[in-house]
DNA sequence: GACTAAAATGAATCTCGGG
DNA sequence: ACCCGAGATTCATTTTAGT
């Protein structure tokens, strides 16, 4: 690769997202097929690129070039260089068709993931996390010459440092028993009934488990979003997208995989809407102003509020501000001021006297929402 | 899947390994100091280079405190290109002074590890494994914007595809309760008594845990081998090398770190052989989140759950929460809410309809564990 | 001292929308 | 583009303060 300067392509002007026909499979080479799609039409890309050049690199060999097994220096340069050119080319297309607020996931192993990560950064993508898929049942290292290769790596990236992206924080936290979802995911490999077979042998050598795609799509897309998988294979991405109420576009050039994929997706059942509803992060929920609680009578002006340890006290005023001595302000501002902190969530900081002890004013907001929201 | 095409090692002629004076610290820039060392004199290199974190402004914790971030000059690079040049230069020196049968370890995070991995391959190193250090107690993501960054990555590489290297397979298997050591290692971050302090504050912002170096050195060196750490810091590598009867060379340019390191290594005691077996750190029993059962298909979203007497019913949602009417939450929270109890073990409270009657969802968890834990 | 509650802290690319 | 204010946000562990 060498010492290429970082070239961070920046979009000159805002690009309007484009609606596109989805739930379909494009037969052909992923670079050629992506090239036919319009700019900014995809909400998320999930890619599981090949890392042997038999599949991906042929196009990028020098004209008439043939690998000479003897000339090792040239072979090495050509091999890594070809793979890098292949990666750079499909990533450039991916970047073009991805919406400004979209994000991309790429999965790989140590054979190729460092090339991919470097190319992502060089193209201007901004890495948000690297995720470790920790396999609960990996294949052992039979010869005992290395550590058991028990994981694969996924990279999650946005369009740039300041780009927005979808992250369903609360849904992930819920999925993980009310603890933040971490960057290491323990999931079994794809086997058993889930593993697709053709004539008794596995239909695809690297079929990914649906549970992996389930978590990726649940975390980073909204219902109705369009998900593109440029290396579709047997269509795990499509099947899970359908199940989760997302739309999908797959690109694949092997007829045998396409056949299996379409059959599989046809048979997949969408979850009904109630099951699809995910825990909303507080961001995006209908907002309730503290003043609303006062004017609707949930909290009387004059009520005294305090922190859990009754160290500070404030009085609710008719306009929804709090007063402490001669000072007054919002629930957040007063909480921050009293603690000498840069910020404070007033909803959880302030409490009111209730039967059985102090309760946070956030409980009142929940009560209000239950009674007043559809 | 296939492996990337052969990348060949090439040494024009055999280089005779050289004996060198060890157990000493070289004060200065790592590239300049390595340049002074002869060819093929080092058995193993462990490197913890700057990560190039590119942090923005201050980050505040929810309770108000400020995160003490890495803001040292040694972690600042103008561009990705300048970081790549730095990496390529020190790796070229590392490769030169490393014996033909030696190996190299480099640790990093997603900020830099893809650059490092690419540079290693470009220099001709042959990656043997990537190892995931899964932190048992990482710092959370305070703002809820991404997945908790709960791991770091290490790359282990030999001089070339056909090069030999040291791997103490049996020692690793023993250390791991007679199971092959995997590529993911669960270890706590460095804190408590082990964390070196100066004037009450941490002596180095990124001190690595000794348990990590212990496993690396035990796996890939023999007693008496010379280990080089070009980014010595406060000398974790030297201290563990001394403990394990390996020799060490450290390179460091910050006087304050050097002072602490020398004092520390002076105080380190070599282990006698019987003590070598003590360092076990595989604590933590398998824990399964309810959401895992949903995303792995053990339980379908939409499934109805109920208590033994069918008094209460709830529906499983896609993110692993339960919904009852308009309310929703974790299996534990919903169980508690419905009963008006302060807490509830959702695993035993909730049941699903199965052949022969209701079964607790805990039975599914047991099934999952039997199938997926080694 | 013993026990309990509170505070501190770790390689972190950590808000968002309106004016 | 910047500025400002409302509002959302944390896990495991160790150390210190308090009873």
């Amino acid at each position: 690769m060498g010492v290429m300067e970082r070239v961070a392509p920046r979009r000159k002007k805002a690009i309007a997202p484009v609606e596109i026909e989805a739930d379909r499979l494009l037969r052909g080479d992923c670079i050629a097929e992506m090239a036919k799609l319009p700019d900014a039409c995809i909400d998320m890309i999930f890619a599981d690129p090949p890392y042997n050049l038999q599949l991906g690199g042929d196009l990028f060999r020098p004209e008439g070039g043939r690998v000479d097994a003897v000339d090792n220096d040239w072979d090495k340069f050509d091999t890594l260089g070809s793979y890098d050119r292949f990666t750079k080319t499909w990533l450039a297309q991916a970047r073009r068709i991805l919406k400004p607020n979209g994000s991309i996931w790429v999965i790989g192993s140590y054979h190729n993931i460092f090339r991919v990560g470097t190319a992502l950064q060089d193209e201007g993508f901004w890495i948000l996390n690297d995720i470790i898929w920790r396999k609960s049942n990996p294949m052992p290292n039979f010869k005992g010459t290395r550590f058991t290769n028990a994981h694969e790596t996924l990279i999650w990236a946005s369009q740039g440092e300041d780009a927005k992206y979808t992250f369903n924080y609360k849904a992930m936290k819920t999925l993980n028993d009310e603890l933040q979802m971490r960057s290491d995911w323990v999931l079994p490999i794809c086997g058993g009934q889930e593993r697709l077979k053709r004539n008794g042998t596995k239909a695809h050598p690297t079929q990914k488990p649906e549970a992996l795609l389930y978590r990726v799509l649940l975390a980073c897309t909204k219902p109705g979003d369009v998900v593109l998988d440029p290396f579709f294979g047997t269509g795990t991405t499509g099947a899970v997208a359908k199940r989760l109420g997302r739309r999908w576009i797959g690109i694949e050039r092997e007829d045998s995989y396409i056949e299996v994929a379409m059959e599989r997706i046809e048979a997949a059942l969408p979850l009904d809407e109630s099951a699809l509803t995910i825990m909303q992060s507080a961001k995006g929920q209908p907002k309730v102003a503290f003043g609303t609680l006062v004017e609707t009578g949930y909290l009387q002006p004059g009520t005294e509020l305090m922190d859990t340890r009754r160290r500070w006290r404030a009085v609710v005023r008719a306009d929804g501000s709090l007063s402490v001595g001669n000072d007054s302000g919002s629930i957040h501002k007063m909480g921050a001021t009293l603690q000498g902190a840069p910020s404070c969530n007033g909803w959880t900081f302030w409490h009111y006297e209730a039967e059985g002890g102090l309760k946070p004013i956030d409980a009142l907001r929940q009560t209000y929402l239950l009674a007043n929201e559809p």
Side-chain angles (χ1 to χ4, degrees), chain A:
Chain A
M1 181 93 182
V3 289
M4 173 186 307
E5 280 291 343
R6 176 188 181 193
V7 184
R10 296 203 176 271
R11 297 191 177 276
K12 304 299 179 202
K13 53 178 182 176
I15 294 182
V18 168
E19 278 300 311
I20 190 174
E21 190 193 339
D23 300 329
R24 63 197 173 114
L25 198 149
L26 309 176
R27 180 189 312 256
D29 171 74
C30 84
I31 294 168
E33 292 303 315
M34 282 196 281
K36 297 176 191 168
L37 296 176
D39 291 357
C41 64
I42 303 292
D43 293 291
M44 202 200 74
I45 294 175
F46 181 90
D48 181 12
Y51 45 89
N52 61 340
L53 295 179
Q54 268 64 38
L55 289 179
D58 297 340
L59 290 174
F60 298 91
R61 289 214 181 283
E63 200 61 37
R66 167 150 167 51
V67 176
D68 182 353
V70 180
D71 191 340
N72 293 318
D73 274 354
W74 186 83
D75 179 30
K76 164 186 168 290
F77 179 81
D78 179 61
T79 301
L80 293 175
S82 297
Y83 191 81
D84 290 342
R85 281 192 296 280
F86 165 69
T87 302
K88 195 175 172 61
T89 306
W90 77 257
L91 280 178
Q93 285 297 329
R95 186 168 170 77
R96 182 186 62 78
I97 64 180
L98 189 63
K99 292 181 183 175
N101 296 343
S103 67
I104 184 171
W105 286 77
V106 189
I107 183 169
S109 67
Y110 67 82
H111 303 93
N112 71 325
I113 198 65
F114 304 115
R115 320 302 300 190
V116 170
T118 296
L120 276 165
Q121 292 178 309
D122 287 342
E123 284 295 308
F125 286 106
W126 189 252
I127 298 179
L128 297 166
N129 278 118
D130 59 335
I131 297 292
I132 303 307
W133 168 26
R134 195 249 185 198
K135 301 177 184 180
S136 51
N137 47 353
M139 188 186 308
N141 180 294
F142 294 112
K143 293 180 181 172
T145 54
R146 304 181 186 187
F147 298 96
T148 305
N149 198 2
H151 74 275
E152 291 189 30
T153 300
L154 299 97
I155 302 175
W156 175 40
S158 69
Q159 285 276 35
E161 181 172 1
D162 298 320
K164 292 178 189 168
Y165 53 90
T166 296
F167 180 54
N168 299 315
Y169 174 76
K170 195 68 200 309
M172 286 297 101
K173 188 168 176 176
T174 305
L175 193 64
N176 195 37
D177 275 355
E178 296 306 321
L179 287 178
Q180 281 191 341
M181 186 68 82
R182 303 168 35 120
S183 58
D184 55 320
W185 300 356
V186 181
L187 294 170
I189 59 176
C190 182
Q193 292 300 319
E194 186 187 336
R195 187 83 196 208
L196 297 170
K197 301 275 175 66
R198 258 174 76 109
N199 310 322
T201 60
K202 49 191 176 189
H204 193 281
T206 64
Q207 185 184 340
K208 296 292 176 290
E210 296 201 1
L212 185 70
L213 270 294
Y214 187 100
R215 194 176 292 186
V216 168
L217 295 186
L218 198 62
C220 302
T221 62
K222 297 188 279 275
D225 276 0
V226 176
V227 178
L228 170 78
D229 186 335
F231 307 96
F232 203 56
T234 47
T236 306
T237 303
V240 177
K242 181 177 176 187
R243 200 145 63 90
L244 288 176
R246 275 68 171 169
R247 291 178 293 161
W248 57 271
I249 296 176
I251 302 176
E252 178 55 52
R253 62 182 192 184
E254 301 276 336
D255 286 339
S256 62
Y257 298 158
I258 291 176
E259 196 179 314
V260 175
M262 293 309 289
E263 207 171 294
R264 169 194 200 175
I265 296 170
E266 189 63 37
L269 293 178
L271 296 173
D272 68 54
E273 209 170 315
S274 68
L276 271 184
T277 309
I278 58 172
M279 304 294 286
Q280 289 292 321
S281 166
K283 309 169 195 168
Q285 254 186 353
K287 282 177 191 170
V288 178
F290 179 68
T292 303
L293 299 183
V294 180
E295 62 189 7
T296 53
Y298 280 76
L299 207 51
Q300 297 297 322
T303 305
E304 197 178 44
L305 301 184
M306 61 211 84
D307 65 300
T308 42
R309 294 194 292 160
R310 301 169 196 269
R311 238 201 292 187
W312 293 293
R313 290 163 190 273
V315 175
V316 176
R317 305 202 297 185
D319 61 354
S321 63
L322 297 188
S323 69
V324 179
N326 289 328
D327 203 2
S328 70
S330 74
I331 53 173
H332 311 293
K333 188 191 161 202
M334 293 314 294
T337 302
L338 288 171
Q339 295 180 98
S343 66
C344 166
N345 182 351
W347 290 107
T348 53
F349 177 76
W350 293 109
H351 294 65
Y352 64 99
E353 202 83 61
E355 300 167 25
L358 294 179
K359 285 189 179 172
I361 56 177
D362 195 42
L364 279 179
R365 178 166 63 162
Q366 297 305 328
T367 308
Y368 175 87
L369 275 170
L370 278 172
N372 298 294
E373 294 293 328

